[in-house]
Amino acid sequence: MLYLISALVGVLVTGIFHLLKRFKGYSTDKFEKIISLCFALIFAVRFFVFRNLQTYEEYYVVFESFGGYQNGFLNFIGNICGWFEITAAIFIFLRPFFQFKTSIWYVKYFSITVYLVCFIGLLPMVSMIQGTYDITFVSVMVAVEVGAGLAISIYYHLKDLHHHISKHSYLEVGLAATFFNLATMPIYIPYFLFGLGDKTHQPIDFSIYHRVYIYLLIILIPVLLYFSLRNAHQYKIRYFLLVISLGTCIGFFGKYDWTDLVQPWNWPLHLCNTAMILMVVVLIFMPKRLFYFTYFINVFGAALAILMPNYDALEARGLLCIFNPTVVHFWFNHMIAFWMPLLCVALKLYERPKLKQYGYSIIGFAGYFLLAFVLNTIFTGFKGTVVHYFGRDFTICDTNFFFINDTFIAKKLGNWAEKIFALDFVIPINGRDFTIHPIYQLIFFGTYILIGFGVWFIYQLFFDIADSHYDLHIKLKGIRLDKIALQGSLQGRSLDEPMDKDSVNQLKLEHFSKRYSTNKYYAVKDANLEVNCGEVFGFLGPNGAGKSTIIKSIVGIQPITEGKITICGYDIKVQPVQAKSRIGFVPDHYALYEKLTGREYLNYIADIYDVSQEDRDARLSEYIKIFELEASIDNKIKTYSHGMKQKITLISALVHDPKLLILDEPLTGLDPTSIYQVKEQMKRHARKGNIVFFSSHLIDIVEKLCDRIAIIKKGHIKCITTVDEIEKTGMSLEDFYMSIINQDEDKNE
């Protein structure tokens, strides 16, 4: 009979699909969403009309009534069908709302397979849900649900026939479906698979090894999720987290039926319980303030619950074992409540909270605390009262939402807290006593807020670490992509070969532009420049003209906005290691490791550039003698004068004999002898066939030292010429420079 009902429902749903396609103006997307919501309603009615198996005793009764382990295969089929059907149903719920490749695959391959198995194993599935094969409202609803799910899965399978899954994607879909199944796992499954476990391993007063194991799971799962999803689109991240949240929420509500929902004293109003519901809401509707309430309040509450688990009722009944469904339920749901909001921020579904969001969350927490306080007081005062509605009698029981009306938290804190709790105040109304603990409850509220504020800084530290790691990941990803692009550009040549063979003896800037951050103005705009080997090239310009911007981009300190920079044929952007290995740089503001000696520092730089011992010994010996550092080279750099530090900086730039030597204001603060030595080394380095690129405000020195010059103003290179050409005009370099710099002002006048 149940198979017939399920088949008829499947035929009916299929007929509806085909019938609606005949109507003009038929909207596939809108219809699929309506069908999805109707199917979700069928699932909810079946789920809430009958209290699911959530305790050891309930499961044991059903399990034994169906033959126990003697009927093991059918028990296995029934349990697996009931479990996997939840995952398959969630995939169908979300299919019309999240239409991307993997969500399509889940329904096309996973849901249809599960519902086929559920249809075949319908009787074992019904028996494990209600304990019998009898035709009841519950069994009929299960049949309707399976029939509708199978028909919808077939519809999507046929619709998505062109969405073929590649071989390597089978593993991705399989792993994701396995993880989702863990999220939707009914809490009696561990008992079904392993029994209750050894009662000597009770989840109370865990040894340090048990606690480390549990806490590592709590940390490890979100870390794995983070690394799996961090590169995904926000749409896909939201889908994945929503599937997990829906699965755990369904598992949480498995211990409720409609009778619980009409009894406010049985509502899931504990703070961590509300997290199950709120996470589904915030992932569907994306309400920011509600999310930040969950982020600040529920995460901290779940952390406290994990640190102080409450199993008093189970312990009193002798059922406190590690695979008891109630214990599994506690750890499973609190784990999700703890790390799901943190993942939402880490994966950038929600922005990092500011102090304002914390303020809103405190207002929300105050409202929740007041509600819990009022309900606890009222229901405890009316404890034992019988009320009649919906044709049934219900007995009001006392409540303890958020543990603010009993000594559970106080006992964890010690005698002093219990004494404060004992300072109660009784309000008699119409013969009933309503008891409150005002001092304890106020301290409870204030302490929670203060500690929650402190936890915010821990969150911030966590996210700062995550940001640093993510930035590193992006850089490494960029390096890999650049390497692939470089391999394509080189067309099979070695990666160590220059990309531009025609400019192996040049420093070249091609349409180079640099703009900082979101500034709409360019620091340098469309700069073109070629400097040849054997030249000492002077680079002149007023302060702020763009000299340091160009130099920092050449040496790779800052990225290029537009254009290209080539050093001896190597593109600084896509061949940075090869390009930088050919550069020696003396910055205007240098930083040395002053706790090292001069010799130690120079050897350190030589190691970075992989200079052989023979070459470094010869070069260092020569430069130390030239710059007259023999007496001080083995002293710590912090004892050096400014001029000595400048010499060490220049030697470190020359130790690997670079093809391009760049000096940014290298003569500032040097005595005449040192200036002479630096100038001689620059000319000597150029005579060896290298490039010397020299920026300075000392125009007379530039005039005597340089072969060619470039003048830059306001980010634009105004002229490139030789010193000889300037001399032929009868002007000094200083006069020529001033005429170029003042040229625009003269025009404006």
Side-chain angles (χ1 to χ4, degrees):
M1 183 64 180
L2 292 176
Y3 283 106
L4 179 61
I5 293 172
S6 187
L8 288 175
V9 170
V11 172
L12 177 63
V13 172
T14 304
I16 292 172
F17 278 115
H18 287 286
L19 182 63
L20 286 176
K21 284 184 179 180
R22 298 176 179 273
F23 286 95
K24 293 182 178 179
Y26 165 75
S27 172
T28 302
D29 289 345
K30 185 181 294 185
F31 171 69
E32 288 175 355
K33 290 176 181 178
I34 293 172
I35 287 294
S36 176
L37 294 174
C38 291
F39 182 65
L41 181 62
I42 292 171
F43 182 90
V45 170
R46 191 273 295 176
F47 200 76
F48 285 108
V49 79
F50 177 78
R51 190 171 190 272
N52 286 262
L53 311 174
Q54 288 294 315
T55 67
Y56 158 69
E57 296 96 326
E58 290 173 325
Y59 185 78
Y60 180 78
V61 170
V62 172
F63 184 71
E64 290 299 320
S65 68
F66 195 54
Y69 287 105
Q70 295 179 357
N71 207 2
F73 178 73
L74 292 179
N75 268 323
F76 178 80
I77 293 296
N79 276 294
I80 295 300
C81 286
W83 173 8
F84 283 23
E85 193 267 339
I86 296 174
T87 311
I90 292 175
F91 289 156
I92 289 177
F93 299 161
L94 300 180
R95 170 63 178 80
F97 301 96
F98 294 87
Q99 300 189 36
F100 57 94
K101 184 171 61 177
T102 46
S103 70
I104 290 172
W105 288 344
Y106 294 145
V107 176
K108 183 180 178 182
Y109 296 103
F110 182 84
S111 292
I112 193 172
T113 303
V114 169
Y115 276 109
L116 280 171
V117 175
C118 286
F119 182 79
I120 296 170
L122 183 60
L123 290 180
M125 181 178 173
V126 166
S127 180
M128 291 309 299
I129 288 176
Q130 70 175 15
T132 67
Y133 291 126
D134 297 342
I135 304 296
T136 64
F137 181 78
V138 174
S139 62
V140 170
M141 288 303 298
V142 172
V144 170
E145 183 183 328
V146 170
L150 181 57
I152 297 171
S153 299
I154 292 173
Y155 164 78
Y156 281 122
H157 187 86
L158 295 175
K159 177 185 176 182
D160 301 324
L161 277 177
H162 62 286
H163 286 281
H164 299 294
I165 187 170
S166 58
K167 290 183 179 180
H168 72 274
S169 296
Y170 276 113
L171 180 61
E172 176 190 346
V173 173
L175 289 174
T178 301
F179 188 84
F180 290 146
N181 280 327
L182 291 176
T184 61
M185 179 185 69
I187 60 176
Y188 52 80
I189 290 295
Y191 166 65
F192 167 71
L193 295 174
F194 308 112
L196 283 177
D198 187 350
K199 288 191 176 183
T200 61
H201 294 132
Q202 297 186 356
I204 189 169
D205 296 329
F206 272 142
S207 70
I208 185 62
Y209 304 106
H210 288 104
R211 288 191 180 275
V212 168
Y213 174 73
I214 290 293
Y215 300 152
L216 278 178
L217 282 181
I218 293 171
I219 296 170
L220 182 62
I221 292 175
V223 168
L224 290 175
L225 268 176
Y226 170 77
F227 282 108
S228 300
L229 296 175
R230 63 180 177 175
N231 295 323
H233 190 276
Q234 296 292 290
Y235 195 64
K236 187 174 182 180
I237 292 171
R238 185 180 168 197
Y239 173 84
F240 271 66
L241 297 186
L242 183 54
V243 171
I244 296 169
S245 295
L246 272 172
T248 54
C249 192
I250 290 170
F252 172 78
F253 275 104
K255 65 178 182 179
Y256 293 90
D257 64 11
W258 72 272
T259 60
D260 293 303
L261 300 182
V262 298
Q263 301 175 68
W265 51 90
N266 284 335
W267 286 357
L269 291 180
H270 272 292
L271 196 58
C272 295
N273 296 348
T274 63
M276 298 295 99
I277 307 165
L278 293 181
M279 280 313 306
V280 174
V281 173
V282 299
L283 287 170
I284 292 176
F285 301 105
M286 304 296 285
K288 291 185 178 180
R289 292 184 182 178
L290 187 61
F291 170 76
Y292 289 117
F293 169 80
T294 302
Y295 176 83
F296 281 112
I297 304 303
N298 283 356
V299 171
F300 179 47
L304 290 179
I306 290 169
L307 293 171
M308 298 183 293
N310 179 20
Y311 308 123
D312 292 348
L314 287 177
E315 188 179 16
R317 296 159 59 197
L319 296 174
L320 186 56
C321 298
I322 197 164
F323 291 127
N324 187 297
T326 303
V327 174
V328 175
H329 179 268
F330 174 88
W331 282 101
F332 200 61
N333 290 290
H334 283 84
M335 180 176 64
I336 298 293
F338 173 68
W339 53 251
M340 185 63 78
L342 298 178
L343 265 182
C344 286
V345 176
L347 293 170
K348 297 179 172 54
L349 278 182
Y350 284 91
E351 296 178 354
R352 299 287 173 79
K354 298 180 175 62
L355 189 60
K356 180 174 67 173
Q357 278 84 21
Y358 178 74
Y360 288 138
S361 68
I362 293 304
I363 294 172
F365 175 65
Y368 166 79
F369 193 90
L370 181 61
L371 176 65
F373 168 75
V374 171
L375 292 180
N376 285 342
T377 304
I378 292 174
F379 291 138
T380 303
F382 281 98
K383 179 181 179 181
T385 303
V386 177
V387 294
H388 182 83
Y389 49 83
F390 293 104
R392 297 185 61 173
D393 291 331
F394 299 99
T395 302
I396 298 176
C397 60
D398 59 347
T399 60
N400 187 25
F401 300 134
F402 200 43
F403 301 111
I404 59 177
N405 273 61
D406 78 355
T407 59
F408 173 71
I409 300 294
K411 287 179 179 178
K412 301 289 185 180
L413 299 175
N415 291 333
W416 65 272
E418 293 185 71
K419 290 178 181 178
I420 294 175
F421 182 86
L423 300 174
D424 56 19
F425 183 72
V426 179
I427 306 173
I429 301 177
N430 294 331
R432 293 188 177 276
D433 292 335
F434 297 90
T435 305
I436 62 175
H437 309 270
I439 298 176
Y440 175 80
Q441 288 159 343
L442 284 173
I443 293 174
F444 192 121
F445 177 78
T447 303
Y448 196 93
I449 289 176
L450 290 175
I451 297 177
F453 184 73
V455 169
W456 180 25
F457 292 97
I458 298 176
Y459 294 166
Q460 193 60 44
L461 177 62
F462 168 78
F463 289 126
D464 286 343
I465 294 171
D467 275 349
S468 300
H469 185 276
Y470 187 75
D471 290 343
L472 177 61
H473 166 74
I474 292 299
K475 288 179 181 178
L476 292 175
K477 183 178 179 181
I479 291 171
R480 288 195 295 271
L481 292 176
D482 288 343
K483 185 177 180 179
I484 293 171
L486 177 61
Q487 288 173 330
S489 301
L490 290 172
Q491 299 178 344
R493 290 186 289 142
S494 169
L495 295 179
D496 290 326
E497 289 189 37
M499 182 175 290
D500 186 358
K501 289 184 175 181
D502 296 331
S503 59
V504 292
N505 295 315
Q506 288 182 321
L507 162 65
K508 185 186 292 186
L509 276 69
E510 299 176 80
H511 302 289
F512 166 77
S513 296
K514 175 62 183 177
R515 182 168 59 186
Y516 291 99
S517 186
T518 57
N519 195 323
K520 64 179 180 179
Y521 299 107
Y522 283 88
V524 177
K525 180 65 175 176
D526 197 32
N528 293 278
L529 182 66
E530 290 184 7
V531 185
N532 301 310
C533 284
E535 284 188 308
V536 178
F537 191 90
F539 197 39
L540 303 176
N543 291 331
K547 300 191 302 298
S548 292
T549 295
I550 287 179
I551 288 173
K552 289 177 181 177
S553 297
I554 292 173
V555 300
I557 292 176
Q558 59 190 18
I560 298 170
T561 304
E562 298 170 14
K564 182 179 179 182
I565 296 177
T566 305
I567 298 163
C568 301
Y570 295 98
D571 189 320
I572 189 64
K573 186 175 181 181
V574 297
Q575 295 176 292
V577 175
Q578 293 88 343
K580 291 177 184 179
S581 68
R582 287 158 175 79
I583 299 174
F585 179 39
V586 180
D588 54 346
H589 298 291
Y590 49 81
L592 305 174
Y593 297 129
E594 299 202 350
K595 291 186 177 181
L596 298 179
T597 67
R599 191 183 302 277
E600 288 171 340
Y601 178 78
L602 293 173
N603 274 293
Y604 167 69
I605 298 299
D607 286 338
I608 291 176
Y609 285 98
D610 199 23
V611 180
S612 68
Q613 192 65 47
E614 182 181 357
D615 288 341
R616 81 173 66 179
D617 288 344
R619 290 169 190 165
L620 291 181
S621 177
E622 179 184 7
Y623 289 130
I624 290 169
K625 184 177 181 180
I626 289 173
F627 288 108
E628 300 176 349
L629 291 171
E630 296 96 326
S632 57
I633 191 65
D634 292 309
N635 296 335
K636 290 187 182 296
I637 294 175
K638 65 182 180 181
T639 64
Y640 288 6
S641 66
H642 171 75
M644 293 168 67
K645 291 178 180 178
Q646 190 86 331
K647 293 175 184 178
I648 289 291
T649 305
L650 180 59
I651 296 172
S652 68
L654 291 168
V655 71
H656 58 293
D657 194 24
K659 290 293 293 181
L660 170 61
L661 177 62
I662 297 178
L663 304 101
D664 192 3
E665 301 290 347
L667 306 177
T668 304
L670 295 182
D671 58 73
T673 302
S674 298
I675 290 175
Y676 174 78
Q677 292 167 341
V678 171
K679 287 162 50 180
E680 287 302 306
Q681 291 308 310
M682 291 167 63
K683 290 188 286 187
R684 178 186 176 209
H685 196 68
R687 285 196 299 269
K688 290 167 62 177
N690 301 309
I691 302 169
V692 176
F693 191 83
F694 173 42
S695 168
S696 178
H697 290 303
L698 304 175
I699 295 181
D700 56 335
I701 292 179
V702 173
E703 185 174 20
K704 295 175 182 177
L705 188 62
C706 296
D707 303 302
R708 288 196 301 148
I709 64 159
I711 299 175
I712 185 171
K713 179 184 177 184
K714 294 182 179 179
H716 296 272
I717 295 179
K718 295 297 184 179
C719 78
I720 302 172
T721 185
T722 66
V723 174
D724 290 340
E725 288 174 347
I726 296 172
E727 290 177 351
K728 289 178 183 179
T729 65
M731 300 173 67
S732 68
L733 177 57
E734 184 176 24
D735 292 335
F736 180 80
Y737 170 80
M738 294 305 299
S739 68
I740 295 295
I741 293 301
N742 294 326
Q743 197 171 46
D744 293 337
E745 281 77 357
D746 295 339
K747 288 180 180 179
N748 292 334
E749 290 177 3

